[in-house]
Structures are given as structure tokens and as C-alpha cells.
Amino acid sequence: MRTTLLSGITVLLCASFTQADQSLHFPKEDPFISFSAPDDWKVENKGGSLFVVSPDGGDVILEVMTMEAGLDEDADALKEAKGTVDEDFEKLELTPGDPVEARGLVILPLGGEGVDESGPAHINMALIKHPDAEHPILFSIIASKENAAKHGAACGAMLNSISAPGAAKAPAGEAQTFAYPDKDKPDFSVDFPADWKMSKTEEGTYVESPDKLVAMNVIMVDKADVSDAEETLKKKVGERFKEITWNQGKDPEVNKDEALGLTATFQNAQASDGEGTEKYAVNLVSYVRKSGDKSLILLCQNPLKALEKHGEAMEAVIKSIKVR
């Protein structure tokens, strides 16, 4: 199934914020993948692996390595991936997501949490298959839970930048943009596919895919009213379905970027009208700036089958969000 990375790697993904990047490749000779990392992160090739470490000295450690499992040996690859962290973490919980077909690769996300000698940590992995490779590549990010929030944007950008070298990029200009308060100097902006219907509303904009499978609302609210607006939206969405569960019964994920003065909150739900009926995904994301009076809320609703057709476009929308 083609889906979006956002639905499979749950903790560290958030909007890609504008920053200087370095382009990295793996393996060093005849690379199968490329990705971007912040310029101030330390990069080292050691023991056949590529390591990328956050500038604070290790709050976040990224490792890229070639696996022993064969390219189509998914069960063995998952077992091997878990084995790389089994000895280091107690109370380890890792959950695989749906495979992603994007940018010339097949990516199987694997994410969860564990506890090591330094305390709780987020663990996000991606098993990456290149069609010309004999073995998958394991892309792992381990982040101290206490300090992960300040690097959430960078981790999300690195994960979402993974591609096969030379993979086709979306043509420039093929998008329509919502900008607030204006396009000349926006505090917030979001790009949508050019062929999606975009309608102005009192609160922001309503966007719908041509087949009406995906609906997105951009809602601008007063910063002081964000929590109330989130609860109101969740209640209204919940009234549409017989069954709905938010955040798998857990608290929403909150990422804070102190440098940007930004707090991003991610909430997701699966819903249906009962057993045997079509299942829906609902994503609610809010962005609160330290400065300014307004905040942005993005609400996305779609049946799960829509991910097959629109997963890449939905991922691109999330990645396009920029906050000044």
C-alpha cells in the first residue's frame, strides 16, 4: 500500500521548517539512498554505518546501515531491526506501519519507545528497499524523550527527505498556496496540489481532492483559543462516526522548537461506523507561534483507501507547511 510516512512513524515527524541542510548519501560508494540533515549536525562514517549526531552531543543519534536480511525477507528484516536495540533498551515497544512507496523506494516504518540508562527514548526506524539493492537499508533515529522536542522538526525533515538518488521531484510551481496573513510576508503557509479544489472560508480555507476522498481544513484561530478549538473540532468529527479513537488512547504528541518559538501538536484518530464498515483516518495538527496572535490548525479527513492514491500528495502538504 502507498501511504504517508506521517502515519507510520509517529513521534518525531512534524512540518519541515526552513533551514540550511547538507545532502548525505548511503552507501558512500554507489549510494542507494540520499537524505538531508541540518548543517550543524556531526556526520561520521564508521564500521560501515553512517552516523549523524545532533549538535548537543547525542540527544539525537541517527544511524544508517545495510542489513543482513534479503531485500524481500521482511520478517527477518523486522527481527534484525529490533535486534539492533533489544540489548540497549528495556520496556521496548516497536510497532511496524504500512509500507510506503515514494521517491523511488519502498519504506517500511517502525517506531516506538524504550528505556535505557539515560531514561525514556523515542525510537524511529525505516526499513528502506531500493529496487537495485540486495539488502534493505536500516535508517534509525534514537532520541532522548526528555530532549527530543527541540529536534522534532529536524528529525521529521530528515525522515521525509529520504529518496533514491536522482528520484524525480515534483515539478516546481505545481501547487496552490494558502498564506496568512498575506503571501508577501506570511506567518503561516501551506501548499496544496494544483488540481485540488481550494475554497476560501471565514476561518481559512477548505481543500478537497478531485475525487472528494480527502478533505482538509486550514483554520486560523486566536492563540488563546487553540485548545478549545481542538476539542470542538474533535467533537464535531466524532459526531460523524459510531466509533472513533484518538491517539490510540494516549496523549497527543507535542513538539517544541525553542529556536523558532513554535509548538506543534499532533493528534490522529481512526474512525468507522462499526465493525465491518469502511475505516477513516483523521489528523489534527496545530501550530502555535510564540509571537503573533493567530495559530494554524490543519484538519485532514479521509478513508484509509485514499492513502493508496493520495498518500504522497498528503505527505507533501504536511511537508510544505512553513512557519515564520
Side-chain angles (χ1 to χ4, degrees):
M1 174 184 289
R2 176 175 295 169
T3 183
T4 170
L5 281 176
L6 187 63
S7 67
I9 302 177
T10 59
V11 178
L12 294 175
L13 291 192
C14 57
S16 301
F17 305 110
T18 303
Q19 58 183 22
D21 288 331
Q22 53 185 317
S23 181
L24 303 176
H25 306 273
F26 184 86
K28 190 173 182 180
E29 303 293 334
D30 299 320
F32 289 123
I33 71 166
S34 63
F35 64 100
S36 298
D39 270 344
D40 58 348
W41 287 43
K42 182 180 179 181
V43 178
E44 181 181 7
N45 286 280
K46 183 178 179 181
S49 293
L50 172 66
F51 292 91
V52 185
V53 181
S54 57
D56 43 40
D59 277 348
V60 179
I61 299 174
L62 183 155
E63 181 181 3
V64 187
M65 59 177 284
T66 300
M67 306 187 74
E68 295 182 3
L71 195 65
D72 296 320
E73 297 172 350
D74 289 353
D76 290 342
L78 285 169
K79 184 177 180 180
E80 183 181 342
K82 292 179 180 179
T84 64
V85 291
D86 265 341
E87 295 183 0
D88 298 322
F89 292 92
E90 300 176 356
K91 301 179 181 179
L92 182 64
E93 295 182 8
L94 295 176
T95 304
D98 292 325
V100 177
E101 297 178 25
R103 300 180 294 278
L105 302 168
V106 176
I107 303 173
L108 179 63
L110 182 68
E113 297 184 350
V115 178
D116 66 4
E117 59 184 13
S118 301
H122 294 307
I123 302 163
N124 286 271
M125 297 178 168
L127 278 63
I128 305 170
K129 299 181 183 181
H130 188 288
D132 295 333
E134 296 182 1
H135 304 275
I137 291 170
L138 179 61
F139 189 103
S140 304
I141 296 178
I142 298 177
S144 157
K145 191 171 183 179
E146 180 180 359
N147 298 310
K150 65 181 178 181
H151 295 301
C155 292
M158 287 189 289
L159 283 162
N160 275 315
S161 70
I162 299 170
S163 68
K169 308 294 183 182
E174 290 193 5
Q176 50 188 332
T177 301
F178 168 83
Y180 179 89
D182 55 60
K183 291 185 178 181
D184 291 334
K185 193 175 181 181
D187 291 337
F188 300 92
S189 67
V190 190
D191 294 335
F192 296 96
D195 61 341
W196 289 29
K197 184 178 179 181
M198 189 171 175
S199 305
K200 185 177 180 180
T201 66
E202 291 184 4
E203 300 86 5
T205 191
Y206 173 77
V207 184
E208 196 172 58
S209 60
D211 54 15
K212 299 185 178 181
L213 284 177
V214 181
M216 293 186 173
N217 293 81
V218 177
I219 304 163
M220 303 304 304
V221 300
D222 291 338
K223 185 161 59 176
D225 297 333
V226 170
S227 295
D228 289 342
E230 289 173 335
E231 293 307 311
T232 298
L233 288 168
K234 289 167 66 175
K235 182 179 179 180
K236 287 183 177 180
V237 171
E239 290 172 351
R240 291 186 52 210
F241 300 101
K242 183 177 179 180
E243 299 174 349
I244 186 166
T245 302
W246 286 94
N247 308 311
Q248 298 180 323
K250 301 178 182 178
D251 292 334
E253 294 296 336
V254 179
N255 288 318
K256 293 186 178 182
D257 191 311
E258 300 295 343
L260 292 174
L262 178 70
T263 299
T265 302
F266 300 84
Q267 306 194 57
N268 58 82
Q270 284 204 0
S272 72
D273 290 325
E275 187 176 351
T277 63
E278 188 168 36
K279 288 182 168 53
Y280 283 75
V282 185
N283 289 278
L284 181 65
V285 189
S286 63
Y287 299 89
V288 180
R289 297 171 68 234
K290 188 175 182 179
S291 59
D293 298 325
K294 290 289 187 179
S295 298
L296 181 145
I297 295 177
L298 176 66
L299 174 65
C300 179
Q301 303 176 67
N302 58 273
L304 291 183
K305 68 181 182 182
L307 297 176
E308 182 70 28
K309 184 176 182 180
H310 298 299
E312 287 188 21
M314 294 163 65
E315 177 186 347
V317 170
I318 295 296
K319 289 175 63 179
S320 77
I321 297 172
K322 292 183 175 62
V323 183
R324 182 175 63 87

